[in-house]
Each structure stands twice: as C-alpha cells, then as structure tokens.
Amino acid sequence: MTTDPRWGDVERFLTGTLVTEDAVLAGIRERTAAAGLRPIEVSATDGALLSLWCRLIGARRVLEIGTLGGYSATWFARAVGETGRVTTLEVDHRAAVVAQENWREAGVADRVEVLVGPAAVTLRSLVADGGDPYDLVFIDADKQNNPVYLQAALALTRPGSLIVIDNVVRGGRIVEDTDDPDVIGTRRVLEMLGSDPRLQVTAVQTVSSKGWDGFAVAYVLGQG
Ligand code: SAH
Ligand code: DHB
Ligand code: MG
C-alpha cells in the first residue's frame, strides 16, 4: 500500500486549521472505535466537504448507504438543518445501535433514521415506496454492490441532485488486473457514471492518514 507519513501530517494540520472537529464528532469517532467497529469513517475534511455540498445545493433530504457509527451521517444531519432528514442504510445491527447512541449525543437523533438490513433490499423498498426524491445520495457501503446502489440512487433522485461515491481509488487497485469483487464493482460503477448522459461526473484522488483513495461525484442533469 502506497503511503507517505506527510499525508497524515498535512491532514492533521488542515483539520486543525480549517475544520476543527468538535467534541461531538471526536466523540463519535471514539465511541465507534471503542465499540469494535472498523475505523473507516470519512475524515473530518471529507465530512466538511460533504456538508459544503449539502449547503450548496440546499439539501433537505439525504440518503446514505453505509452508516457505521454515524459519523458522516452527523455531518449530513448538521448540514440539512433542523427541518432536514437523513436516511442511512446499514446491514450491521450493532453498528446501527452505536450510531443511534451517537446521534442522541450529537442532538440530531430526531432528523436521522437508520434502516437496518442489506442495502440492496432496503433500496428496493424505498424505490417501490415512491417517496420524495433525495437531494444527495452518499454511497459508502460494500463496494461490490456499488453498481446496484448507483442504479437505485438514480431512481431515488431528481435533476439537480448529487450522487457521491466514496473509496473509488483504493490505493490504486482500481486499475489493477484483479478479480477482487470490490474493485470490479467500483470500476463498473465508474464506467456507469462515465457513460450515463443523465449525469455530469468527475472523480478526485485523495491522500490522507488512511492512504491513497478518492471519491466520485455526479450531478443529475435530467431523466435521460
Ligand atoms: N459512511 C460511514 C462509513 C461507512 S463504512 C462514515 O463515513 O461515517 C461502511 C458500512 O457499510 C459499514 O458499517 C458496513 O457494515 C456497511 N455495509 C457493508 N455492507 C453492507 C450492505 N450490504 N448493506 C448495508 N450496509 C452495508
Ligand atoms: C473501507 C471501506 C470504506 O467505506 C472506507 O471509507 C475505507 C475502507 C474498506 O472496506 O476497507
Ligand atoms: Mg468510505
């Protein structure tokens, strides 16, 4: 895995200088790790970027796929404001319980809901329910299902919505010849993004304390 210790040094400097994660967010990170969940939540600078995007588009309804301890969902909950709603999907019941405790501590429990179960199944029922479209969808769960999640995200959004996919570079593995289902799922979702005339897309490579990775972002132009 390619890493450089300066990536973490710079991340800590930028976080301290620009973002200053407050005690609530730091507490979420700590309780997530203490509960034995993997420490793979987004960085504070990434959380701030997700929040900025919400504010830029005036997002009121956010859908997240992959909750973990509720760290990124808390950034979203703060960004959508008191009258906004965040729905987040998680397969691990234990993680969902930790996340709900964290949202209570953060004072945002009233605007965040976790739906427990395999996200592909939950998404099928959300599509069937035909509720109001989401303004922003953040895809950050099992990477092999990324194509399924994008398909659902397209059905659950409207022109002007944003779709963001985390972890699309994975230390450069994305361009390796491999049969890793996570890599195949992510490469496939990038191909889907790049060939869909309803979307304006790009991806950004990132380096941080967690190594070399990146995210893709898609703006929904129209219904095709
Ligand atoms: N978005 C979170 C991190 C999510 S980590 C944050 O930044 O704070 C990925 C999460 O996806 C894990 O909690 C994992 O349990 C969950 N996950 C994995 N496979 C899943 C599936 N099939 N359906 C729903 N959630 C899944
Ligand atoms: C992994 C998953 C993530 O969503 C992430 O942000 C980092 C790592 C993983 O499965 O390794
Ligand atoms: Mg991620």
Side-chain angles (χ1 to χ4, degrees), residues 38 40-42 140-141 143 166-167 170 182 210 213:
R38 294 169 65 213
I40 54 173
E41 64 279 323
V42 298
D140 189 24
K143 313 309 175 190
D166 197 22
N167 311 115
R170 309 305 295 269
D182 289 352
K210 305 236 174 95
D213 213 326

Side-chain angles (χ1 to χ4, degrees), residues 124-135:
R124 262 201 302 279
S125 42
L126 288 176
V127 171
D129 289 349
D132 290 341
Y134 293 95
D135 306 312

Side-chain angles (χ1 to χ4, degrees), residues 23-113:
V24 168
L25 289 166
I28 292 176
R29 209 182 271 292
E30 280 157 24
R31 281 189 296 275
T32 299
L37 301 173
R38 294 169 65 213
I40 54 173
E41 64 279 323
V42 298
S43 65
T45 48
D46 285 356
L49 181 62
L50 293 169
S51 167
L52 272 171
W53 278 331
C54 281
R55 292 180 197 274
L56 281 169
I57 64 168
R60 310 291 306 282
R61 289 171 54 79
V62 171
L63 175 65
E64 174 179 79
I65 307 170
T67 312
L68 195 70
Y71 181 82
S72 51
T74 301
W75 278 99
F76 286 127
R78 288 178 170 183
V80 297
E82 264 174 42
T83 56
R85 293 286 293 173
V86 180
T87 302
T88 176
L89 315 187
E90 175 56 56
V91 73
D92 177 356
H93 181 263
R94 220 167 38 94
V97 169
V98 173
Q100 283 168 318
E101 286 168 14
N102 283 332
W103 298 325
R104 274 195 294 277
E105 287 287 328
V108 295
D110 54 332
R111 47 184 122 136
V112 192
E113 173 187 37

Side-chain angles (χ1 to χ4, degrees), residues 4-222:
D4 182 323
R6 291 173 300 179
W7 297 350
D9 296 341
V10 171
E11 180 186 348
R12 279 181 287 280
F13 170 74
L14 293 176
T15 304
T17 308
L18 300 176
V19 181
T20 40
E21 188 178 57
D22 64 14
V24 168
L25 289 166
I28 292 176
R29 209 182 271 292
E30 280 157 24
R31 281 189 296 275
T32 299
L37 301 173
R38 294 169 65 213
I40 54 173
E41 64 279 323
V42 298
S43 65
T45 48
D46 285 356
L49 181 62
L50 293 169
S51 167
L52 272 171
W53 278 331
C54 281
R55 292 180 197 274
L56 281 169
I57 64 168
R60 310 291 306 282
R61 289 171 54 79
V62 171
L63 175 65
E64 174 179 79
I65 307 170
T67 312
L68 195 70
Y71 181 82
S72 51
T74 301
W75 278 99
F76 286 127
R78 288 178 170 183
V80 297
E82 264 174 42
T83 56
R85 293 286 293 173
V86 180
T87 302
T88 176
L89 315 187
E90 175 56 56
V91 73
D92 177 356
H93 181 263
R94 220 167 38 94
V97 169
V98 173
Q100 283 168 318
E101 286 168 14
N102 283 332
W103 298 325
R104 274 195 294 277
E105 287 287 328
V108 295
D110 54 332
R111 47 184 122 136
V112 192
E113 173 187 37
V114 58
L115 304 178
V116 179
V121 175
T122 309
L123 287 165
R124 262 201 302 279
S125 42
L126 288 176
V127 171
D129 289 349
D132 290 341
Y134 293 95
D135 306 312
L136 188 149
V137 180
F138 181 49
I139 300 177
D140 189 24
D142 53 322
K143 313 309 175 190
Q144 65 175 344
N145 277 317
N146 274 340
V148 174
Y149 300 154
L150 175 63
Q151 205 68 55
L154 288 166
L156 291 166
T157 49
R158 56 167 174 82
S161 297
L162 277 183
I163 300 171
V164 183
I165 307 180
D166 197 22
N167 311 115
V168 299
V169 174
R170 309 305 295 269
R173 284 201 301 286
I174 193 69
V175 293
E176 282 173 15
D177 185 14
T178 171
D179 49 18
D180 178 341
D182 289 352
V183 170
I184 290 169
T186 298
R187 196 150 54 209
R188 179 77 199 113
V189 86
L190 292 172
E191 289 162 359
M192 287 166 68
L193 290 177
S195 61
D196 194 322
R198 294 170 295 182
L199 300 173
Q200 182 176 335
V201 301
T202 193
V204 175
Q205 300 191 62
T206 58
V207 293
S208 72
S209 58
K210 305 236 174 95
W212 172 25
D213 213 326
F215 54 81
V217 56
Y219 178 79
V220 181
L221 294 165

